[in-house]
Amino acid sequence: LLSITIGSFLVFLTSVLKGTNQANITAEVKQHGQVVLDTLESQIRNATDAVCLNPANGSLCASPTQSTTYIKLLRVNSDPLHIRCVPFSGTTQNGRIEIAVSAVVLGTIPSNFTSITSQDTVSGVSIDPCTFTIVPSSGGVSAPPIVAVNFTISQGVAAASRSDFLASVDFQTTISLRGY
């Protein structure tokens, strides 16, 4: 009877610890995702226009409203801001969102991108998939476009793989440009 009671207590304790681990990891991933979303929202809101770019070569997208992993934000009295999604690569590199300020011309990609997420493959986060969609406003020519942002964030690609240490959170929002 004593061994059954102790066994039941250990199962209960293990279950509680796993639930606590899962809640902590999920909260940490959500916090990282919200920081990324706040950063993107601030940058996009202050732009005067958004342009869809081809991630392979920096040229304009075939359709300005297609989903892409690379956009350029035009700003008043400032160089354009480039934002791109970089997918994870195996267990050596997290997926991430990067930003670069550059006056480069179409058809070239800036070389000075910096990540807005932690790059540590164990304690950092990985973003994948990630897309931006530029939607023209229904208010006519004088209304600013809207940028839809969608990404999924999870722990770093080399983080613990136990089920109670896994968390993945989807983020999506639409942001209207105000710098018009």
Side-chain angles (χ1 to χ4, degrees):
L1 187 61
L2 183 61
S3 63
I4 292 173
T5 304
I6 291 173
S8 297
F9 176 73
L10 289 176
V11 168
F12 172 75
L13 183 62
T14 303
S15 175
V16 168
L17 289 175
K18 283 184 178 184
T20 302
N21 289 343
Q22 180 68 48
N24 288 341
I25 294 296
T26 301
E28 186 175 322
V29 167
K30 281 182 179 180
Q31 184 178 15
H32 282 283
Q34 192 60 51
V35 168
V36 170
L37 197 59
D38 290 347
T39 302
L40 290 174
E41 188 170 0
S42 169
Q43 297 299 332
I44 293 170
R45 280 204 196 285
N46 293 321
T48 58
D49 199 8
V51 180
C52 173
L53 296 177
N54 183 330
N57 58 19
S59 64
L60 288 174
C61 295
S63 167
T65 60
Q66 78 182 42
S67 290
T68 185
T69 58
Y70 184 11
I71 62 172
K72 180 165 106 174
L73 301 173
L74 305 177
R75 306 180 299 171
V76 175
N77 300 326
S78 188
D79 287 335
L81 183 72
H82 298 255
I83 303 174
R84 71 177 180 183
C85 304
V86 179
F88 73 93
S89 60
T91 59
T92 60
Q93 186 177 2
N94 288 332
R96 60 197 181 279
I97 297 177
E98 297 179 330
I99 294 179
V101 175
S102 179
V104 297
V105 295
L106 281 176
T108 58
I109 297 176
S111 59
N112 60 337
F113 279 96
T114 55
S115 177
I116 60 172
T117 58
S118 170
Q119 288 305 290
D120 189 297
T121 58
V122 176
S123 64
V125 293
S126 183
I127 295 179
D128 195 41
C130 166
T131 60
F132 303 101
T133 306
I134 301 168
V135 181
S137 177
S138 59
V141 177
S142 63
I146 296 169
V147 177
V149 178
N150 294 295
F151 63 89
T152 300
I153 190 167
S154 55
Q155 313 84 281
V157 294
S161 60
R162 281 184 19 202
S163 63
D164 55 323
F165 285 105
L166 297 178
S168 181
V169 181
D170 294 327
F171 285 86
Q172 58 185 1
T173 190
T174 55
I175 305 164
S176 176
L177 281 66
R178 289 191 190 158
Y180 232 60

